[in-house]
Amino acid sequence: MSEVRIRPRQVLVLIIVFLVVLMMVHRNGKRTCQGPDYLQAIYAQQQADTLPTIYAITPTYYRPAQKAELTRLSHLFMLLPHLHWIIVEDSNTTTPLVKNLLQRAGLEKRSTQLNIKTPPEFKLQGKDPNWIKPRGVEQRNLALSWLRSHVDVDRHSIVFFMDDDNSYSTELFAEISKIQRGRVGVWPVGLVGGLMVEKPILNEDGTQVTGFNAAWRPERPFPIDMAAFAISMDLFIRNPQAIFSYEVQRGYQESEILRHLTTRDQLQPLANACRDVLVWHTRTEKTKLTAEVALQKQNKHSDAGMEV
Ligand code: UDP
Ligand code: MN
């Protein structure tokens, strides 16, 4: 049998071809996770299975702009693999609108669709402005009870109350991932409480919260917005009494939940020692549909057969 002889030059060519193929594969791999360093770090930690899951709880209700708001949020989830979305609809059933949205964003496996209707007596608003009934109470509590019976308590995870109309940076979720077991992370929120920014005030080395700059009801135990904090899940397991309540005054929901879970000096400051704004308390303008109403009087709809 004749010997197959490989010359050193052929070996060299083979090695070069192998290296080129390796570089191409590597570059293709990289293409799927381009972006800023904090996102790269999230993807690397996700690969290593060292990222805590963030359970984002979103109460939502039907109005003309609902799908637009939820579509905005869904893009965050598409970029951030460690988020699990608990959407709780304020309705008697879950809706195809939310189901379709989750499906089209490819989030079926990383989301939970729940529903609970706010009882009508709690929807009455506007008589005494100090007692306007809080929104999303029933929905957030249902999500908490779902979490208490579904999460793996041995794995560190984090809970964030994520209203559907605010504006969130992906960077916020990199910060939330830093929350330690047993702690509540806090950071500034833009455009809220009559200020450009509401923020915790820190000690000199930026490690402890010593106060808050709130102008609206600064006497609250925790004068911060719902978007200003996230909570290590183990605190909810250890404190089963921690739920939202209808019995508290307007603006006291945040204090109501936090008082069961932490103290001011235990808060974990995030977002560059509370110097960065990564979330804004935006509110979408009420939709004007005068022409649509006119159409409806003729029994017509601009959106006939369409989901808007
Ligand atoms: N929400 C709800 N049912 C309602 C009103 C509001 O589920 O009847 C939800 C809403 O979609 C949002 C959260 O509760 O995710 C807070 O409501 P909103 O943004 O109107 O409150 P605000 O901005 O005034 O704090
Ligand atoms: Mn809002």
Side-chain angles (χ1 to χ4, degrees):
M1 222 166 70
S2 68
E3 264 182 56
V4 182
R5 294 189 57 187
I6 302 173
R7 288 194 211 119
R9 255 185 61 191
Q10 285 173 317
V11 174
L12 196 69
V13 169
L14 274 173
I15 289 174
I16 289 170
V17 168
F18 177 73
L19 285 176
V20 167
V21 169
L22 203 71
M23 272 168 60
M24 282 167 64
V25 168
H26 185 67
R27 271 189 50 187
N28 275 339
K30 270 210 139 170
R31 204 166 292 160
T32 57
C33 59
Q34 268 176 358
D37 289 349
Y38 66 86
L39 274 186
Q40 305 273 7
I42 284 179
Y43 297 140
Q45 279 177 271
Q46 170 76 6
Q47 290 276 312
D49 200 23
T50 56
L51 263 185
T53 300
I54 300 172
Y55 292 98
I57 297 175
T58 303
T60 187
Y61 68 108
Y62 180 76
R63 71 278 194 195
Q66 184 186 26
K67 191 175 179 184
E69 309 279 26
L70 293 176
T71 299
R72 259 178 345 134
L73 292 204
S74 72
H75 295 164
L76 285 163
F77 289 80
M78 289 159 78
L79 281 167
L80 297 160
H82 61 316
L83 261 56
H84 182 103
W85 200 1
I86 307 178
I87 298 195
V88 194
E89 296 184 68
D90 185 350
S91 58
N92 287 322
T93 55
T94 55
T95 62
L97 187 146
V98 171
K99 187 165 191 263
N100 292 341
L101 188 120
L102 290 171
Q103 247 170 22
R104 290 177 77 143
L107 294 171
E108 300 103 310
K109 293 205 178 102
R110 291 201 282 128
S111 61
T112 303
Q113 204 185 340
L114 304 173
N115 70 283
I116 184 163
K117 193 158 178 65
T118 305
E121 62 269 32
F122 294 125
K123 286 243 174 182
L124 288 176
Q125 291 184 351
K127 284 179 189 151
D128 174 355
N130 289 330
W131 285 95
I132 289 176
K133 289 297 177 187
R135 296 140 181 230
V137 168
E138 211 82 46
Q139 291 73 28
R140 292 190 192 105
N141 281 343
L142 179 66
L144 285 178
S145 101
W146 184 89
L147 276 172
R148 283 179 166 116
S149 59
H150 283 81
V151 291
D152 175 356
V153 288
D154 296 328
R155 276 186 83 106
H156 177 36
S157 60
I158 297 157
V159 180
F160 179 43
F161 299 105
M162 187 183 197
D163 287 357
D164 63 1
D165 56 343
N166 294 336
S167 306
Y168 306 86
S169 162
T170 48
E171 214 173 333
L172 177 66
F173 297 88
E175 290 301 302
I176 293 178
S177 307
K178 297 177 187 167
I179 294 175
Q180 295 157 358
R181 256 180 206 271
R183 296 193 78 181
V184 173
V186 286
W187 51 81
V189 176
L191 317 176
V192 70
L195 293 174
M196 280 300 287
V197 57
E198 260 187 12
K199 61 188 176 193
I201 295 161
L202 308 186
N203 64 350
E204 227 162 73
D205 64 6
T207 53
Q208 268 216 336
V209 176
T210 57
F212 298 90
N213 78 333
W216 187 71
R217 302 209 165 177
E219 68 281 5
R220 289 174 291 165
F222 294 92
I224 54 178
D225 187 70
M226 201 63 79
F229 60 91
I231 300 164
S232 170
M233 182 64 210
D234 68 322
L235 288 173
F236 281 112
I237 303 290
R238 290 193 339 234
N239 300 288
Q241 77 284 15
I243 54 165
F244 291 94
S245 163
Y246 284 118
E247 305 308 317
V248 301
Q249 275 190 61
R250 187 169 164 224
Y252 277 73
Q253 284 303 331
E254 295 83 356
S255 295
E256 177 57 21
I257 197 84
L258 289 173
R259 75 186 177 92
H260 294 292
L261 303 170
T262 190
T263 51
R264 278 188 181 199
D265 58 325
Q266 273 297 306
L267 295 171
Q268 184 182 346
L270 293 168
N272 187 21
C274 293
R275 285 187 292 256
D276 292 348
V277 177
L278 303 175
V279 53
W280 298 261
H281 184 260
T282 46
R283 301 185 78 179
T284 301
E285 187 186 7
K286 197 172 182 302
T287 329
K288 295 185 189 79
L289 292 168
T290 38
E292 192 69 47
V293 173
L295 266 186
Q296 281 168 12
K297 285 185 184 139
Q298 306 161 43
N299 221 2
K300 291 181 188 157
H301 303 268
S302 69
D303 59 342
M306 295 169 85
E307 187 187 85
V308 182

